[in-house]
Amino acid sequence: MITAVRSGMLRFFSPSLSHALSFSSSSLSIRSPPKPSLRNPLSRSISTHASFETQLFIPPGILPDEVDDSAVLPGSNIAVGPYAGDSRIKDVEFVKSSSRAKDCPRDDRPEFAVLGRSNVGKSSLINSLVRKREIALTSKKPGKTQLINHFLVNKSWYLVDLPGYGFAKASETAKTDWSSFTKGYFLNRNTLVAVLLLIDASVPPQKIDLDCANWLGRNNIPITFVFTKCDKMKVAKGKRPDENIRDFQELIKQNYKQHPPWIMTSSVTGLGRDELLLHMSQLRNYWDQ
């Protein structure tokens, strides 16, 4: 049984505490100053190509009754609204690595943080998104990334590669350092648009992932679940990726009546790449107002 976060809020957009789009276990709302209203996700469920039902994430600027199947990104619960824009990545450059949150770049550019358990395929996903090999280090040794790495995309927004959590061979000191400086990043980064929390769909739900999602929720950190390795076939005595995703969602539903946005991806086949970037564009464009 995972710890419930009934009293927590999960923000999908958080430019600052003065104008944040908030998600709670009971309602969706926008804080002042006024912005286009965000209604509750559709009460009806939709069936995805993964053969299970889910509630939709309705972005700002669109009403639930205006959404039909054509507006929903394939392999996700995400509807596309008027803030979706040009999602192409034309240029990406490494800016810096930081061992402390206070050493991260200091400007007003919005950023997306990529977070996940070690060996979840984080570096592979980043490389796939930017379509540039080795922009993020891919290693056979889980937990290789142990710094906060900022990549500037299109000279306008950041993609942030965070250390993986839960790597078995790390020293206790390294684990403690991860906890302190990564949590410090989350709690003090006003330019953070959303955390892309990567979940390995090829294995059953992991407690460490659920614990991480709960911590983010308790601390009002915006989140999108990105399910990786969705190309994997069912292993002997195991479940298919869509079955593992369904099981994960059932556990999340114990904490949140309305499910955060989620999407299926594969760095091998490219599944979900363009759709994830389009989702990020509407979050970013709303934040940028």
Side-chain angles (χ1 to χ4, degrees):
M1 181 68 67
I2 59 177
T3 304
V5 193
R6 302 282 180 190
S7 61
M9 261 191 184
L10 196 58
R11 296 180 299 165
F12 289 130
F13 311 81
S14 64
S16 70
L17 291 179
S18 64
H19 62 297
L21 180 62
S22 303
F23 173 84
S24 71
S25 57
S26 59
S27 66
L28 286 165
S29 61
I30 296 177
R31 302 180 203 161
S32 59
K35 296 237 182 186
S37 63
L38 178 66
R39 304 297 181 87
N40 289 338
L42 292 178
S43 57
R44 68 179 177 87
S45 297
I46 62 166
S47 295
T48 71
H49 75 263
S51 302
F52 55 86
E53 294 187 338
T54 187
Q55 283 188 322
L56 289 179
F57 166 68
I58 307 296
I62 187 171
L63 300 176
D65 57 8
E66 296 174 333
V67 177
D68 58 25
D69 290 345
S70 65
V72 181
L73 296 175
S76 81
N77 72 333
I78 300 167
V80 177
Y83 288 96
D86 188 355
S87 60
R88 293 173 296 176
I89 292 182
K90 304 171 184 176
D91 177 70
V92 59
E93 59 181 294
F94 171 73
V95 176
K96 69 177 299 187
S97 294
S98 307
S99 60
R100 299 176 299 179
K102 66 180 182 180
D103 295 330
C104 291
R106 293 173 177 267
D107 56 43
D108 294 328
R109 292 185 177 99
E111 59 192 49
F112 292 87
V114 185
L115 177 67
R117 183 169 51 86
S118 293
N119 207 31
V120 72
K122 179 166 57 71
S123 295
S124 295
L125 178 73
I126 293 174
N127 291 333
S128 174
L129 287 177
V130 303
R131 285 185 171 160
K132 198 169 184 179
R133 287 187 178 183
E134 304 302 330
I135 192 69
L137 178 63
T138 302
S139 174
K140 293 183 179 179
K141 295 181 180 180
K144 190 69 175 178
T145 301
Q146 296 186 30
L147 296 170
I148 302 173
N149 299 307
H150 273 75
F151 300 93
L152 182 60
V153 181
N154 296 343
K155 302 188 184 304
S156 61
W157 57 278
Y158 288 112
L159 193 61
V160 186
D161 184 8
L162 294 176
Y165 54 82
F167 46 96
K169 293 185 178 180
S171 66
E172 289 302 317
T173 300
K175 291 180 182 178
T176 301
D177 287 345
W178 181 92
S179 176
S180 61
F181 85 80
T182 304
K183 289 181 178 180
Y185 165 84
F186 289 131
L187 297 175
N188 298 288
R189 201 68 181 164
N190 290 331
T191 53
L192 180 63
V193 178
V195 173
L196 306 181
L197 181 57
L198 275 53
I199 308 295
D200 188 346
S202 69
V203 299
Q206 304 293 302
K207 183 179 183 299
I208 193 170
D209 292 328
L210 295 164
D211 287 345
C212 182
N214 287 342
W215 185 89
L216 292 169
R218 284 194 300 271
N219 288 279
N220 298 336
I221 310 298
I223 185 174
T224 292
F225 291 118
V226 179
F227 293 102
T228 64
K229 306 183 183 181
C230 291
D231 60 291
K232 299 288 185 181
M233 301 298 291
K234 178 179 178 180
V235 298
K237 298 183 179 180
K239 293 185 176 181
R240 301 189 310 268
D242 61 294
E243 294 174 316
N244 289 325
I245 293 172
R246 181 190 59 209
D247 291 346
F248 184 89
Q249 291 188 352
E250 287 300 317
L251 291 171
I252 288 296
K253 278 202 270 187
Q254 296 177 15
N255 298 334
Y256 302 103
K257 293 180 180 178
Q258 297 161 352
H259 203 293
W262 62 266
I263 188 167
M264 300 173 68
T265 69
S266 167
S267 298
V268 175
T269 66
L271 172 71
R273 175 195 179 270
D274 294 343
E275 291 78 9
L276 177 56
L277 288 173
L278 188 60
H279 169 59
M280 293 166 67
S281 80
Q282 64 182 358
L283 302 190
R284 189 174 66 251
N285 290 334
Y286 180 85
W287 187 96
D288 253 340
Q289 289 188 105

